[in-house]
């Protein structure tokens, strides 16, 4: 059984620009980098800044407040930060992008 609910999302208008969308009830940053879409959480774990106001640089999402950096593939923060953000799976079907949001653990019970 697929553990994710897949949601259709629009492709960001520009490479490297961070766009925020609500997907499956979650605030998510969408980033197009080298024609691949990445989806991450939108809240910085450091002090709660909105990461969609940041930017993407060399495969990292940079927080606009104190410049913490997060890998857009793994969500891992730079080593000296000791933090991370959530990332979500992405797939392309029929030329459209979908983001996978994990289903609730009890969803399969009913
Ligand atoms: S709030 Fe993001 S680096 Fe401080």
């Amino acid at each position: 059984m697929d553990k994710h609910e897949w949601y259709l999302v629009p492709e960001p208008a520009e490479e490297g620009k961070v766009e925020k969308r609500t997907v499956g009830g979650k605030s998510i940053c969408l980033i197009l980098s080298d024609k691949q879409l990445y989806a991450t959480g939108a809240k910085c774990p450091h002090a709660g800044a909105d990461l969609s106001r940041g930017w993407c640089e060399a495969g990292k999402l940079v927080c606009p407040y104190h410049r913490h950096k997060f890998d857009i593939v793994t969500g891992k923060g730079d080593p000296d930060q000791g933090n991370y953000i959530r990332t979500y799976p992405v797939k392309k079907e029929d030329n459209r992008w979908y983001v996978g949001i994990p289903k609730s653990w009890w969803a399969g019970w009913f």
Side-chain angles (χ1 to χ4, degrees), residues 74-91:
T74 65
K76 264 184 149 178
D78 275 0
D80 54 327
Q81 295 167 201
N83 56 5
Y84 65 93
I85 55 173
R86 189 152 192 188
T87 57
Y88 296 89
V90 168
K91 66 180 178 183

Side-chain angles (χ1 to χ4, degrees), residues 44 46-49 63 65-68:
C44 182
H46 180 232
C63 179
Y65 275 26
H66 315 100
R67 309 285 194 265
H68 277 206

Side-chain angles (χ1 to χ4, degrees), residues 29-47:
C29 288
L30 296 176
I31 304 147
L32 193 65
S33 179
D34 283 334
K35 298 194 168 71
Q36 172 63 45
L37 186 72
Y38 298 90
T40 75
K43 192 170 170 185
C44 182
H46 180 232

